[in-house]
Amino acid sequence: MKQIRMIDIKQQILSDNDNLANEIRDTLKENDVFMVNIMSSPGAGKTTLLLETIRRLKNEMRIGVIEGDIESMVDAKKITESGALAVQIRTGGDCHLDAPMVQPAIEMLDLNTVDTLFLENIGNLVCPAEFDTGAMRKVMLLSVPEGDDKVLKYPLMFTVCDALIITKVDCMGMFDFDAETLRKRVKAINPKIKIIMLCSKTGENMDEWINWLKNQREMCLTK
Amino acid sequence: MKQIRMIDIKQQILSDNDNLANEIRDTLKENDVFMVNIMSSPGAGKTTLLLETIRRLKNEMRIGVIEGDIESMVDAKKITESGALAVQIRTGGDCHLDAPMVQPAIEMLDLNTVDTLFLENIGNLVCPAEFDTGAMRKVMLLSVPEGDDKVLKYPLMFTVCDALIITKVDCMGMFDFDAETLRKRVKAINPKIKIIMLCSKTGENMDEWINWLKNQREMCLTK
């Protein structure tokens, strides 16, 4: 009985969330703002990838970052220092970002001052996959040290994302990571996903990521 | 209003969970079984540490592992091949293990055939920290590639655990990881936590972990 009540509430919350996410997406589109939801395990390199992305793109577009964290503002400080706009969401325990958390953060930003907005989600390969935040694209990072078997264990995240960025490829060989095995496993559950292997620190394949982002921005805002 | 309803149900569930967790702990103690809850981000090395722990301990005690996974049974297969008893819990989406999931797994095991039972939780640094599973000790792993700032972002996990095992120390120097900074940050929120830095692959400091486990087993079962 309690179980059924829980499910009803969860469905209601997910449905309210989806409606609000659609409203957020419409508002962003009207204001010509492209929003990307960046998800991964803790420590896979979300902030490092964003800092390098900002460095490469800041002369051609204005970038904003909504930082999701349970506690602390360390990442928001780094983003601000890089020259991008940053807004911090402190969830105070919650394990994911959802549309009701993202909406006030967007209201705090002047959408006329931003072209591309990144949402740095809580480091968690499970719960964030369930929630539409209003972003136009979902991107996940998987770092080489995590291993090539993660798609078997956390399939939903790999299923919902438009792109999989494999990070820290400079330490391939030190860890149990077979890129071809991973690619087959991922494509089996999500054939359309774009897979990019890169290293934010050395810059390897960063161009592929930047070009993908620019193309997606174009596609989402001109449709 | 909906918010309040959610919180009530969450509190009720957490309280039901804690009661069941206490029952599980009593049953284990009556049967002289020591249970340890192992938690970490995805890919921090839980299974690798368990396999090496089983290899070193299997001649002195009988080991069982309850494997928690959202999907797949890859880890349970590895554990069974190592010679330990394994029971798989497939959560089918849930992001953590709780007492109601652990109870049937324990009922499947014959407690007369096990001395130490490990619970390999879902790879998640957030949600598993909230749930008592009936284990006598909580242990978290943090791998060097994840970085030394994780305690600032996911403080609850570092607060509830009895031991923090820093894994993959063989690749210290390749990543932004200052062990002394981490130690200070962790001790500030959990002064009693035992910190062990090791590498399951090279065997570095595995003895310290094994000795800690044996001492804790002794303490928990003789009290």
Side-chain angles (χ1 to χ4, degrees):
Chain A
M1 186 59 196
K2 197 170 61 201
Q3 204 65 20
I4 292 163
R5 220 168 134 209
M6 268 300 287
I7 292 165
D8 283 344
I9 291 176
K10 190 175 175 188
Q11 281 176 342
Q12 183 61 45
I13 287 173
L14 281 174
S15 150
D16 289 352
N17 183 78
D18 287 355
N19 294 338
L20 184 57
N22 285 329
E23 283 174 33
I24 291 172
R25 211 163 7 247
D26 290 344
T27 306
L28 292 169
K29 201 171 171 180
E30 280 161 25
N31 286 276
D32 217 32
V33 177
F34 175 51
M35 186 161 86
V36 184
N37 181 6
I38 310 274
M39 297 175 279
S40 78
S41 296
K46 294 183 293 301
T47 312
T48 308
L49 178 66
L50 284 178
L51 290 172
E52 186 57 22
T53 304
I54 292 164
R55 196 182 70 76
R56 288 173 184 246
L57 277 176
K58 68 181 174 187
N59 291 334
E60 26 182 326
M61 58 176 82
R62 298 161 305 167
I63 297 175
V65 179
I66 298 177
E67 279 292 336
D69 279 299
I70 293 173
E71 284 294 340
S72 100
M73 298 184 60
V74 284
D75 291 344
K77 278 184 192 158
K78 288 183 195 167
I79 295 291
T80 307
E81 285 162 13
S82 78
L85 272 172
V87 174
Q88 178 80 44
I89 301 176
R90 209 183 291 190
T91 71
D94 272 356
C95 53
H96 62 273
L97 295 182
D98 57 20
M101 295 182 211
V102 170
Q103 191 188 34
I106 286 177
E107 283 170 3
M108 279 179 70
L109 285 166
D110 177 358
L111 290 181
N112 291 318
T113 65
V114 181
D115 300 308
T116 295
L117 191 53
F118 294 101
L119 199 61
E120 185 176 345
N121 219 308
I122 307 293
N124 182 337
L125 218 47
V126 188
C127 320
E130 290 189 55
F131 293 86
D132 189 351
T133 56
M136 291 150 192
R137 289 291 181 268
K138 293 176 185 175
V139 172
M140 71 168 290
L141 276 58
L142 178 75
S143 65
V144 166
E146 290 173 75
D148 57 39
D149 61 347
K150 293 302 159 288
V151 55
L152 303 175
K153 298 183 186 177
Y154 310 95
L156 184 64
M157 182 62 84
F158 290 81
T159 307
V160 302
C161 282
D162 302 291
L164 163 62
I165 312 299
I166 299 172
T167 60
K168 309 191 189 179
V169 297
D170 57 326
C171 51
M172 193 81 78
M174 280 198 71
F175 299 96
D176 293 331
F177 196 96
D178 181 328
E180 195 42 40
T181 300
L182 178 84
R183 182 179 295 269
K184 280 182 192 158
R185 286 171 172 167
V186 174
K187 291 283 182 180
I189 58 170
N190 186 352
K192 288 186 182 169
I193 197 169
K194 170 76 176 173
I195 302 177
I196 302 172
M197 301 182 65
L198 58 73
C199 179
S200 308
K201 276 192 188 172
T202 64
E204 186 181 343
N205 279 345
M206 277 295 295
D207 287 347
E208 194 180 352
W209 157 244
I210 297 289
N211 289 337
W212 182 84
L213 266 181
K214 289 200 264 188
N215 287 338
Q216 297 300 311
R217 185 178 191 284
E218 196 74 14
M219 279 174 59
C220 288
L221 297 184
T222 52
K223 254 181 198 169
Chain B
M1 184 62 193
K2 201 168 58 201
Q3 205 66 18
I4 292 164
R5 221 170 134 209
M6 268 301 286
I7 291 165
D8 284 345
I9 290 175
K10 191 176 175 189
Q11 281 176 342
Q12 182 61 43
I13 286 171
L14 281 175
S15 149
D16 289 353
N17 182 79
D18 287 355
N19 293 338
L20 184 56
N22 284 329
E23 283 174 31
I24 291 172
R25 211 161 10 244
D26 290 345
T27 305
L28 291 169
K29 201 170 171 182
E30 279 160 25
N31 286 275
D32 217 32
V33 177
F34 175 51
M35 187 161 87
V36 184
N37 181 5
I38 311 276
M39 297 175 280
S40 78
S41 296
K46 294 184 292 303
T47 312
T48 308
L49 178 66
L50 283 178
L51 290 172
E52 186 56 20
T53 304
I54 292 165
R55 196 182 69 75
R56 287 172 185 246
L57 277 177
K58 68 180 173 187
N59 292 334
E60 25 181 328
M61 59 175 82
R62 298 161 305 168
I63 297 174
V65 179
I66 297 176
E67 279 292 336
D69 280 299
I70 292 172
E71 285 293 341
S72 100
M73 297 185 60
V74 284
D75 291 345
K77 278 183 193 161
K78 287 184 196 167
I79 296 291
T80 306
E81 284 162 14
S82 78
L85 272 172
V87 173
Q88 178 79 45
I89 300 177
R90 210 182 291 189
T91 71
D94 272 357
C95 53
H96 63 273
L97 294 182
D98 57 20
M101 295 182 211
V102 170
Q103 191 188 36
I106 285 176
E107 283 171 2
M108 279 179 70
L109 286 165
D110 177 357
L111 290 181
N112 290 318
T113 65
V114 181
D115 300 308
T116 296
L117 191 54
F118 294 102
L119 200 61
E120 185 175 345
N121 220 309
I122 308 293
N124 182 337
L125 219 49
V126 189
C127 320
E130 290 189 54
F131 292 87
D132 189 349
T133 57
M136 291 149 192
R137 289 292 180 269
K138 293 177 184 175
V139 172
M140 71 168 290
L141 277 56
L142 178 75
S143 65
V144 166
E146 290 173 73
D148 57 37
D149 61 348
K150 294 302 160 287
V151 56
L152 304 175
K153 298 183 185 176
Y154 309 94
L156 183 63
M157 182 62 84
F158 290 81
T159 307
V160 301
C161 281
D162 303 289
L164 162 61
I165 312 300
I166 300 172
T167 59
K168 308 188 190 181
V169 297
D170 57 326
C171 51
M172 193 82 78
M174 280 198 71
F175 300 96
D176 294 331
F177 196 97
D178 181 328
E180 195 42 40
T181 301
L182 178 83
R183 182 180 295 271
K184 281 182 191 157
R185 286 171 173 167
V186 174
K187 290 284 183 180
I189 59 170
N190 185 353
K192 287 188 183 169
I193 197 168
K194 169 76 176 172
I195 302 178
I196 301 173
M197 302 182 64
L198 57 74
C199 179
S200 308
K201 276 192 187 170
T202 64
E204 186 181 343
N205 278 346
M206 277 296 294
D207 287 346
E208 194 180 351
W209 157 244
I210 297 288
N211 288 337
W212 182 83
L213 266 181
K214 288 199 266 189
N215 287 338
Q216 297 300 311
R217 185 177 192 283
E218 197 73 14
M219 278 173 60
C220 288
L221 297 183
T222 52
K223 253 182 197 168

